[in-house]
Amino acid sequence: MFKKYAWPVVGLIAVAVSAWFLYRELRGVSLDQLGDSFSAISLHRWLLAGVAALVAYIALAGYDALALRHLRRKISFLFITLTSFTTYAISHNLGASVLSGSLIRYRAYSSKGMSAIEIGQLVAFCSFTFALGTILLSGISLTFDPALAGRFIDSLSPEMARAIGILLLLAVAAYVYGSWRGLRPLVLGPIKIFYPNLRTVLLQLVIGPLELLGAAAIIYFALPEAANPGFFTVVGIFLMSFSAALASTAPGGLGVLELLFVKGLPEIDPSDVLAALIVFRLLYLLIPLALSLVVVLVFERNLLRRQS
């Protein structure tokens, strides 16, 4: 009983706490200001944000395609794309994305004859690819812009932030080296983690960052050009905010993402930041969620027809 309700409760607590702190940050922002900020986003920047969202979801399909290639499973790319799109569109909105995403993938890929163990390996591979992309981009961000960490942690010096960034990059380099040299699998109790071949690893290092860059670009294009700190600063803030939002298990990272972004961009009017995050939620979360529900209904209808 405790395990069944633990994560939803943690997510709701994260939403409540973040909402309180967010209210303190935004209590001076009126609905009129927010409306003005939202309407100030030009059609050109809306279109660029839409392209960025498309890039992010194409890269997410690459997660599954690469995992299936690693598992030596041949499934049509259209099926992979629809499964990946549905998985991430729903799981990002529900929270506890690994668990909810696993259930959706199991329903889809088991219809193609994949076993529960294979699907579990696929989920682990996709999760690791995301983590690898996050570590790589975070390492680059902190190494070349160590002042970025000071936006969230005042006590962290630029020298310490750069040292953390270098350590993250060294961890990625060690993973690449292990694949290149064909080292023995890493054993964690009963679990054995095998290094993928070098080509697969290099593709992970492209696909993982590409998805994150696409998602961050949605917010970047929706922010006003005045006082905008630049794309790579926005990427660094997005990495910290989005990772915290996922870790909170809050549905859609609600409140957590907004709180950290407002705190991380003090040079931009909070209403402009909030408007940009509304654009992000529309293009990356809500519109994909609506489309994914259609995909689920069509999939289930076709499955019932085949079984009847």
Side-chain angles (χ1 to χ4, degrees), residues 45-55 218 221 279 283:
R45 296 184 79 80
W46 267 102
L47 291 174
L48 288 174
V51 171
L54 185 61
V55 168
I218 301 171
F221 287 125
V279 173
L283 296 179

Side-chain angles (χ1 to χ4, degrees), residues 21 37 104-105 122 129 159 161 173 287:
F21 283 107
S37 297
I104 298 165
R105 281 194 175 103
L122 182 144
T129 300
E159 293 77 17
I287 293 175

Side-chain angles (χ1 to χ4, degrees), residues 21 34 57 59 62 64 91 101 129 188 196 199 223 225 252 271 280 293:
F21 283 107
L34 181 59
Y57 271 94
D64 283 44
S91 63
T129 300
L188 300 173
R199 183 182 177 186
L223 287 169
E225 294 185 50
S271 64
F280 172 77
L293 295 178

Side-chain angles (χ1 to χ4, degrees), residues 174-208:
Y175 175 64
V176 175
Y177 178 80
S179 171
W180 174 51
R181 301 297 296 175
L183 299 183
R184 290 183 298 178
L186 178 65
V187 180
L188 300 173
I191 301 173
K192 287 186 178 181
I193 301 176
F194 293 87
Y195 287 98
N197 61 54
L198 187 58
R199 183 182 177 186
T200 300
V201 169
L202 295 178
L203 287 172
Q204 283 182 299
L205 295 176
V206 172
I207 292 171

Side-chain angles (χ1 to χ4, degrees), residues 2-305:
F2 174 76
K3 291 181 179 180
K4 181 178 179 180
Y5 294 105
W7 287 119
V9 169
V10 170
L12 290 174
I13 291 173
V15 170
V17 172
S18 299
W20 166 245
F21 283 107
L22 187 63
Y23 165 75
R24 294 179 61 185
E25 293 282 346
L26 299 176
R27 55 189 167 188
V29 176
S30 67
L31 289 177
D32 288 338
Q33 287 176 298
L34 181 59
D36 291 341
S37 297
F38 198 74
S39 61
I41 303 171
S42 66
L43 176 61
H44 173 66
R45 296 184 79 80
W46 267 102
L47 291 174
L48 288 174
V51 171
L54 185 61
V55 168
Y57 271 94
I58 290 172
L60 285 171
Y63 281 29
D64 283 44
L66 191 59
L68 289 165
R69 180 177 177 273
H70 177 63
L71 294 171
R72 294 182 173 83
R73 276 284 188 169
K74 292 185 178 180
I75 296 176
S76 74
F77 189 69
L78 177 60
F79 186 88
I80 293 170
T81 301
L82 291 174
T83 300
S84 171
F85 174 79
T86 304
T87 297
Y88 289 107
I90 294 177
S91 63
H92 281 162
N93 281 279
L94 290 182
S97 57
V98 174
L99 177 60
S100 54
S102 299
L103 295 174
I104 298 165
R105 281 194 175 103
Y106 180 80
R107 180 65 174 165
Y109 288 123
S110 62
S111 71
K112 295 295 183 180
M114 290 184 65
S115 67
I117 292 176
E118 286 179 312
I119 296 169
Q121 291 172 330
L122 182 144
V123 171
F125 186 95
C126 292
S127 298
F128 185 79
T129 300
F130 168 79
L132 189 64
T134 302
I135 292 170
L136 176 59
L137 284 180
S138 297
I140 293 172
S141 297
L142 291 174
T143 299
F144 294 99
D145 186 14
L148 183 65
R151 290 173 177 266
F152 296 97
I153 307 173
D154 296 332
S155 59
L156 189 63
S157 67
E159 293 77 17
M160 180 60 69
R162 178 172 279 121
I164 293 172
I166 292 172
L167 285 175
L168 292 175
L169 293 178
L170 287 174
V172 174
Y175 175 64
V176 175
Y177 178 80
S179 171
W180 174 51
R181 301 297 296 175
L183 299 183
R184 290 183 298 178
L186 178 65
V187 180
L188 300 173
I191 301 173
K192 287 186 178 181
I193 301 176
F194 293 87
Y195 287 98
N197 61 54
L198 187 58
R199 183 182 177 186
T200 300
V201 169
L202 295 178
L203 287 172
Q204 283 182 299
L205 295 176
V206 172
I207 292 171
L210 182 62
E211 186 266 326
L212 293 164
L213 290 172
I218 301 171
I219 300 172
Y220 170 75
F221 287 125
L223 287 169
E225 294 185 50
N228 193 314
F231 178 63
F232 288 103
T233 298
V234 173
V235 169
I237 295 170
F238 175 79
L239 290 170
M240 297 182 190
S241 303
F242 193 61
S243 298
L246 289 177
S248 72
T249 73
L254 188 62
V256 181
L257 186 71
E258 286 78 4
L259 173 64
L260 293 178
F261 246 98
V262 169
K263 181 176 176 59
L265 288 172
E267 62 267 67
I268 300 181
D269 190 294
S271 64
D272 292 332
V273 177
L274 200 57
L277 291 173
I278 291 172
V279 173
F280 172 77
R281 289 195 175 278
L282 280 172
L283 296 179
Y284 191 77
L285 297 175
L286 298 180
I287 293 175
L289 176 63
L291 294 174
S292 69
L293 295 178
V294 175
V295 174
V296 170
L297 290 173
V298 172
F299 172 79
E300 293 295 342
R301 185 194 65 180
N302 291 340
L303 202 61
L304 284 173
R305 284 182 176 178

